Amino acid sequence: ELGVFHPSYKSVMDEGSLELFRKHVQKQLDSAQQWRNEVLGELSNDELGEFPALVICATDTIPTVNQVLRTRTNSENDGEFEFDYTNGRSVPGDGRIDFDKAFPLNNTPFKRLSLDSKHSKQMCKQVSGGNWEKIWEEVLNQMNSYSLIQQKSPRVQDKIKQAV
């Protein structure tokens, strides 16, 4: 029930449009599942447990509006509303995503990488207001941990080579 699939959208989005979104999301999920099965499918739980945790990059220094205000318009159509995307409640985030909502809710192991840039600048170099250097350092750390995993397990090494 996220995004366009939330019940509140049923009154403003026709079923045909929703079906297009469903097909798009399903195609992405199917591709991800196929990759996972091909690359990781034969590994044991112990081997999978050696992979590094998912890294979540998130900013908590930019006020981020997480409440949209809705008011009725003064038009003759009783069901019309105006939406205010700037004056609602703000929480820490990156200007687009709430910091608290950036992390998995289930038991997915993850590592938090704290950033201080706006969402639109996160992949830019620091001189441009971004955090690219910090993110790249973490990518290198992940690559090194994969190298250690490969040394421990030839099967994992073969699977990673197949994926690249």
Side-chain angles (χ1 to χ4, degrees):
E1 294 187 344
L2 295 172
V4 298
F5 302 110
H6 192 274
S8 64
Y9 279 93
K10 288 185 179 184
S11 63
V12 295
M13 188 170 286
D14 63 85
E15 189 58 37
S17 296
L18 279 173
E19 187 59 29
L20 290 174
F21 278 106
R22 280 188 202 101
K23 286 180 181 178
H24 170 74
V25 170
Q26 191 61 54
K27 182 177 179 180
Q28 300 306 311
L29 291 173
D30 291 346
S31 294
Q33 185 67 46
Q34 179 183 353
W35 179 88
R36 184 174 177 83
N37 289 341
E38 288 175 6
V39 175
L40 305 177
E42 298 174 14
L43 299 178
S44 69
N45 284 339
D46 288 341
E47 289 170 321
L48 289 171
E50 292 184 23
F51 278 85
L54 174 68
V55 176
I56 305 292
C57 302
T59 299
D60 66 353
T61 57
I62 311 290
T64 303
V65 175
N66 78 341
Q67 176 188 44
V68 177
L69 302 176
R70 182 178 81 165
T71 56
R72 285 200 186 274
T73 62
N74 292 328
S75 71
E76 295 176 12
N77 296 333
D78 191 31
E80 291 187 14
F81 295 93
E82 290 180 348
F83 296 93
D84 178 354
Y85 295 95
T86 57
N87 294 310
R89 176 185 58 235
S90 289
V91 297
D94 65 11
R96 181 169 175 249
I97 299 172
D98 301 5
F99 181 77
D100 290 338
K101 293 179 183 171
F103 307 102
L105 297 177
N106 57 14
N107 294 327
T108 303
F110 69 92
K111 177 181 178 181
R112 183 178 299 192
L113 183 63
S114 295
L115 306 178
D116 59 9
S117 58
K118 291 174 61 174
H119 182 86
S120 60
K121 292 283 191 172
Q122 288 176 346
M123 298 301 280
C124 296
K125 291 186 175 184
Q126 190 171 0
V127 297
S128 299
N131 286 118
W132 172 248
E133 293 84 355
K134 190 172 191 176
I135 293 169
W136 184 245
E137 182 180 345
E138 184 56 37
V139 168
L140 294 176
N141 289 340
Q142 287 270 318
M143 290 170 63
N144 287 335
S145 65
Y146 278 107
S147 294
L148 293 173
I149 293 167
Q150 289 178 26
Q151 292 170 10
K152 288 182 184 178
S153 173
R155 278 173 33 100
V156 173
Q157 183 177 10
D158 291 341
K159 290 297 180 180
I160 292 173
K161 282 181 182 176
Q162 289 174 9
V164 182

